[in-house]
Amino acid sequence: MCGIAGFVGGDLRGADAVLTAMADAILHRGPDSSGIWIDSAGGCGLAHRRLAILDLSQAGHQPMRSDSGRFMMVFNGEIYNHQEMREALGNRVWRGHSDTETLLAGFEAWGIESTLKKTVGMFAIALWDTVERVLHLARDRVGEKPLYYGWAGDVMLFGSELKALRRHPAFDAKVDRGALSLFLRHNYVPAPYSIWQGISKLAPGTMLSMRFGDGVGAARSAVPQAWWSFESVARSAVSHAFKGDATDAVDELERLLSNSVRLQQIADVPLGAFLSGGVDSSLIVGLMQKIASRPVKTFTIGFNEAAYNEAEHAKAVASHLGTEHHELYVTPGDALDVIPRLASLYDEPFSDSSQIPTYLLSRFVREHVSVSLSGDAGDELFGGYSRYFFARSLWGTMSRIPRAGRRFLAGTLNTLPPSFWDGFSTAASPFLPKRLRVSHAGEKAHRLSRILAADRPEALYLDLVSHWQDPAAIVIDGHEPATRVSAPATNASDLGIEHYMMALDTMTYLPDDILVKVDRAAMGVGLETRVPFLDHRVVEFAWTLPLEMKLESGRGKKVVRNLLDRYVPRSLIERPKQGFGVPIGEWLRGPLRDWAEALLDPSKMRQQGYLRTELIQQKWAEHQSGVRDWHFYLWDVLMFQAWLEEADL
C-alpha cells in the first residue's frame, strides 16, 4: 500500500524537488521509503511513497521500470492473485516477488486493459509509456484506492490525495462551488468531482489514457473509458439470476468469500481484522480463523456510552471464534482530540462523523499490525441498510395514493411550521402507545411532506440520502452538477426499488463515503485495509441473487446471516443494527460548542464568501436550544469551515 503522485508537462527545472515535495505531502501513506523518476525527453515525472507489504526488499522499490524499459509505473494497492498471474506469464526470470513487477510484466505481455481484467485486487496506477509518450491512469473496479487528476494550465497532475497535487507550483487552488453544493447534500464530494476546480476523481473501473506525443490538445481531449462496469454487472444479473436454492447460495457465497479471504491474507507483515461484533465483520473473522493456523488478531474500540458501544458484542464473538482479541475503550476526550486533525486527514470536505471512531480504531490497530481486513460492503451488496425496507414499504403505500392526493397531503404537512407539529406531538403523547410517540415531530413531518411529493422512486432515494435539501441556496453562486443520484442511468423500474437503491449505493455511497472514510483514516496512520466482500467475483455473485435471498422479514443480508450461522451462534449476533458513530449532536451543545461557534462566526463566513450565514445561524440556534436536532446539517458546514481554514485560502 502506497501513495503515488506525478505530472506531465511544464517546466522540468527543479522537477526533482517538486516531485519530492509531492511525495512528502503523502508521506503517511508510505512511511517506509520513497522514490522519484523523471523522463526529461517526455516531460513526465513520477513520485512514490511506499508502505512495504509484499517484497520488503529493494526489488519492490518504485517507480519501477518494465523489463523492456518501455514502461515506468507507480502503483498503490495490492494484486491478490499476482502469483497466479505469474504462472500464466510462463517461465521468466523475476527480480523479486512484488505484485508491481507482475503488473508490468502483464502490461508488456498482454496489454494494459487485458491485464487489468485479469487482476483480483485494489489499485490506483499511473503508467508512463516512454515510447508512445502516453500516460495511463487506472483505478480498481469498485474504487477502494483513490486517484485524482486534472490540468493546471498545460500541466497534467495526478496523485493519491489532493494535497500532493497542491505541492506542484502550477496548481491553482480555487474552490468548485458546484462540488461544495454536492458536499452539503451528501456529506462527501461525489465522483467525478473534487472540491478543487479542474481536478477530478477517476471513476472506479475506468482507465484514462492521455497521448502527449501529439501535443497537449490531444491529451486534453482524452476521456476515461470503463474497463469494468458495475452498472453492466447489475443489468446483466437481471437476466442471469442464480438458479440454485437457498442452501446452494450459502455454499457458493462461502466458497467465493473463503477464497477472497485466503487471497487477502497474503502479506509479508503482521495482519489482523476489524471486529465490531456485527454480521459482516464477524463472518470475515470466522472465515479468517477457519483458514489460519494460529489465532487471528482482532480489534475493536469501545465507548462507555451504551448507545454507541459494541465492544462487548465483539468480545463475545472473538471468544467464540478463539481469536487473539484486543480492545480499547476511548473517552470523549480521545474522540474530541481527533477533530482538529480531520480536515488535514481527509484532504477535502468530508462529514461522515463515523470518521472519528474509524481513525481511533485504525490508530489502535496500527500499534499491532500493518494490514487489517474489514467487513465493509456487505450492506450495499446484500441489502443491509434499513432504508431499503423503508423505501419499499413507503413507495408501495404511496403508489396506491393518487398523485394529486399525495401533493395535497405534502402541502398540508409543509404549510404548518415544525413548531406546530412538535406541540401537537407533545400534547398527544400521553394518550398514545409508546410505539406511536414521535420525537422531533416537526422535522419528520416536513421530511414526510418532501417524500410524499416525490413523483418517482428515484426522487424518493435522492431525498433519503440527502442532508441539505437545497444546498445551492446557501452556497454563494452555488449550483448542483449532475450526479449518478440526481440523473441516474439506471432506473428503478429496471431493477426494482430495493436493487436500484443498492446499485446506486454501490456506485456512490460505498466508494465516495465508506471507502474514503476507511482509506484516509487507515492510511493516515500507515495501516493497509482490505475488503474481502469487494473481490469482484463476490460482487458479481451477489447481484445474481434474487431479492428474497437478501431481504426477509424486515431484515437484510439473509444469505450472509445464514452463512454466519455456520461459524457463530445467532444469539451472539442478533440485535438492532448500530451505526459506528459518536454523539456529535450532544457534543455541539457541550464540549464542541466554542470550537463550532468560532468556525461559524458570521462575520468570518461573510468575509470568506462561500456560504450564506442566515439559515446556518438559525439551525445553530435551534440546535442549541434543543428545539431541533440539526447535527447532520451543522457537521457538514463545520467540516467545510474546518477544511477551509486548513486549506489556507
Side-chain angles (χ1 to χ4, degrees):
M1 189 62 61
C2 309
I4 67 173
F7 60 84
V8 183
D11 190 345
L12 291 183
R13 288 175 295 182
D16 53 347
V18 171
L19 287 167
T20 299
M22 294 176 77
D24 287 349
I26 51 175
L27 181 149
H28 52 279
R29 298 188 74 90
D32 295 331
S33 66
S34 65
I36 63 171
W37 175 85
I38 300 170
D39 180 354
S40 299
C44 176
L46 303 177
H48 188 260
R49 290 292 328 186
R50 187 182 185 199
L51 175 63
I53 302 296
L54 289 174
D55 194 347
L56 310 186
S57 71
Q58 276 295 107
H61 184 75
Q62 297 184 48
M64 186 180 290
R65 186 186 292 273
S66 65
D67 282 350
S68 72
R70 176 175 178 174
F71 296 114
M72 286 293 296
M73 184 173 76
V74 285
F75 159 60
N76 166 31
E78 302 291 348
I79 306 301
Y80 304 122
N81 68 328
H82 87 99
Q83 291 293 351
E84 297 172 20
M85 293 174 65
R86 287 193 172 201
E87 292 174 10
L89 285 163
N91 294 326
R92 57 183 295 134
V93 177
W94 297 95
R95 289 167 282 172
H97 63 275
S98 74
D99 49 0
T100 311
E101 187 181 0
T102 306
L103 278 175
L104 283 166
F107 293 149
E108 292 202 319
W110 301 320
I112 298 169
E113 185 170 344
S114 294
T115 300
L116 295 177
K117 289 180 177 179
K118 294 178 187 294
T119 62
V120 177
M122 56 179 181
F123 53 81
I125 295 170
L127 180 74
W128 176 247
D129 184 335
T130 63
V131 176
E132 299 291 335
R133 293 182 63 190
V134 178
L135 176 67
H136 303 281
L137 302 177
R139 195 172 177 206
D140 64 65
R141 290 172 176 86
V142 188
E144 293 185 64
K145 294 293 101 186
L147 187 53
Y148 294 88
Y149 70 95
W151 290 91
D154 288 338
V155 182
M156 163 54 63
L157 304 173
F158 61 88
S160 297
E161 296 185 21
L162 290 168
K163 55 173 65 75
L165 279 64
R166 283 201 75 185
R167 293 294 183 92
H168 194 284
F171 187 89
D172 188 12
K174 292 183 179 178
V175 171
D176 185 328
R177 294 171 188 259
L180 173 55
S181 300
L182 291 172
F183 161 70
L184 291 174
R185 179 177 293 280
H186 295 289
N187 83 231
Y188 58 83
V189 179
Y193 307 103
S194 88
I195 195 62
W196 296 119
Q197 288 183 24
I199 305 298
S200 301
K201 300 180 180 79
L202 189 65
T206 66
M207 179 172 66
L208 175 62
S209 299
M210 292 166 283
R211 184 175 297 275
F212 287 85
D214 298 331
V216 173
R220 280 184 179 276
S221 65
V223 295
Q225 301 294 323
W227 62 269
W228 184 87
S229 167
F230 173 80
E231 190 165 341
S232 296
V233 167
R235 288 183 180 277
S236 175
V238 173
S239 55
H240 296 85
F242 183 73
K243 301 300 183 184
D245 61 19
T247 300
D248 296 329
V250 174
D251 290 342
E252 181 63 3
L253 179 59
E254 183 172 36
R255 184 186 71 81
L256 290 170
L257 206 50
S258 294
N259 184 56
S260 177
V261 167
R262 177 183 60 80
L263 286 176
Q264 295 196 21
Q265 289 193 88
I266 297 172
D268 295 332
V269 294
L271 178 145
F274 298 142
L275 179 61
S276 69
V279 172
D280 303 324
S281 66
S282 297
L283 177 56
I284 296 303
V285 171
L287 293 169
M288 290 176 70
Q289 192 61 68
K290 179 185 71 171
I291 296 167
S293 58
R294 63 185 65 181
V296 172
K297 299 178 188 294
T298 54
F299 303 90
T300 190
I301 60 170
F303 298 90
N304 292 316
E305 296 88 351
Y308 298 90
N309 186 44
E310 291 190 302
E312 288 300 319
H313 305 297
K315 186 176 182 179
V317 172
S319 177
H320 175 80
L321 292 172
T323 71
E324 180 188 318
H325 192 55
H326 304 261
E327 61 181 16
L328 172 71
Y329 272 79
V330 298
T331 67
D334 296 326
L336 294 170
D337 287 344
V338 171
I339 290 173
R341 298 197 55 187
L342 295 177
S344 173
L345 188 68
Y346 282 86
D347 207 24
E348 68 177 336
F350 184 83
S351 54
D352 180 337
S353 61
S354 62
Q355 63 199 133
I356 299 170
T358 301
Y359 175 80
L360 290 168
L361 177 59
S362 298
R363 188 175 66 184
F364 173 52
V365 173
R366 187 62 180 91
E367 296 173 2
H368 302 269
V369 299
S370 299
V371 178
S372 184
L373 274 63
S374 84
D376 287 325
D379 287 316
E380 291 82 2
L381 296 178
F382 296 97
Y385 293 129
S386 60
R387 61 174 171 260
Y388 302 146
F389 306 96
F390 175 73
R392 175 171 62 177
S393 174
L394 183 60
W395 187 251
T397 301
M398 288 170 56
S399 298
R400 292 191 291 270
I401 303 173
R403 184 173 298 178
R406 296 206 308 267
R407 289 177 176 169
F408 174 78
L409 289 173
T412 301
L413 288 169
N414 200 46
T415 299
L416 297 168
S419 58
F420 170 84
W421 295 111
D422 288 337
F424 178 81
S425 175
T426 300
S429 287
F431 307 101
L432 296 173
K434 286 186 177 181
R435 62 186 179 86
L436 295 180
R437 296 174 187 174
V438 178
S439 61
H440 304 294
E443 178 183 346
K444 293 174 181 176
H446 277 220
R447 184 163 199 185
L448 179 58
S449 75
R450 295 194 305 271
I451 290 171
L452 287 169
D455 58 359
R456 62 193 194 285
E458 293 85 350
L460 172 61
Y461 174 77
L462 177 61
D463 185 89
L464 291 175
V465 298
S466 295
H467 285 200
W468 291 85
Q469 294 295 320
D470 186 12
I474 69 164
V475 176
I476 298 172
D477 297 326
H479 65 285
E480 283 195 74
T483 66
R484 283 187 178 273
V485 176
S486 63
T490 298
N491 296 319
S493 58
D494 296 340
L495 299 175
I497 189 169
E498 303 93 341
H499 268 149
Y500 167 81
M501 294 176 71
M502 291 163 63
L504 278 187
D505 279 348
T506 303
M507 291 187 286
T508 59
Y509 178 68
L510 177 63
D512 293 335
D513 185 312
I514 300 297
L515 297 179
V516 167
K517 175 183 66 181
V518 176
D519 174 83
R520 303 304 191 276
M523 293 308 295
V525 295
L527 175 72
E528 175 176 305
T529 53
R530 299 176 177 179
V531 188
F533 276 110
L534 289 183
D535 183 306
H536 69 278
R537 295 163 298 190
V538 176
V539 173
E540 291 166 358
F541 166 72
W543 274 85
T544 66
L545 294 177
L547 200 62
E548 60 267 21
M549 289 188 178
K550 301 174 185 177
L551 310 183
E552 179 186 49
S553 303
R555 291 191 313 175
K557 299 186 287 193
K558 177 182 176 181
V559 65
V560 179
R561 292 175 189 276
N562 289 344
L563 175 54
L564 181 58
D565 286 342
R566 299 179 179 182
Y567 296 89
V568 178
R570 190 160 289 202
S571 60
L572 296 182
I573 301 295
E574 292 300 320
R575 62 184 184 277
K577 184 178 179 65
Q578 284 182 267
F580 191 42
V582 288
I584 290 293
E586 298 170 26
W587 289 353
L588 289 176
R589 298 187 184 101
L592 287 180
R593 180 169 180 168
D594 290 344
W595 168 81
E597 286 188 330
L599 288 172
L600 298 179
D601 177 72
S603 60
K604 178 196 294 186
M605 294 180 70
R606 282 191 288 270
Q607 184 177 8
Q608 291 164 337
Y610 292 102
L611 300 177
R612 296 184 173 89
T613 65
E614 294 78 7
L615 187 56
I616 296 169
Q617 292 300 319
Q618 177 186 335
K619 282 183 166 29
W620 177 251
E622 290 177 350
H623 186 82
Q624 290 304 312
S625 69
V627 170
R628 305 290 294 274
D629 181 1
W630 293 120
H631 78 272
F632 285 116
Y633 296 75
L634 293 168
W635 193 246
D636 295 338
V637 174
L638 288 165
M639 285 295 95
F640 172 70
Q641 290 296 109
W643 174 85
L644 196 59
E645 288 200 348
E646 178 70 22
D648 192 27
L649 295 181

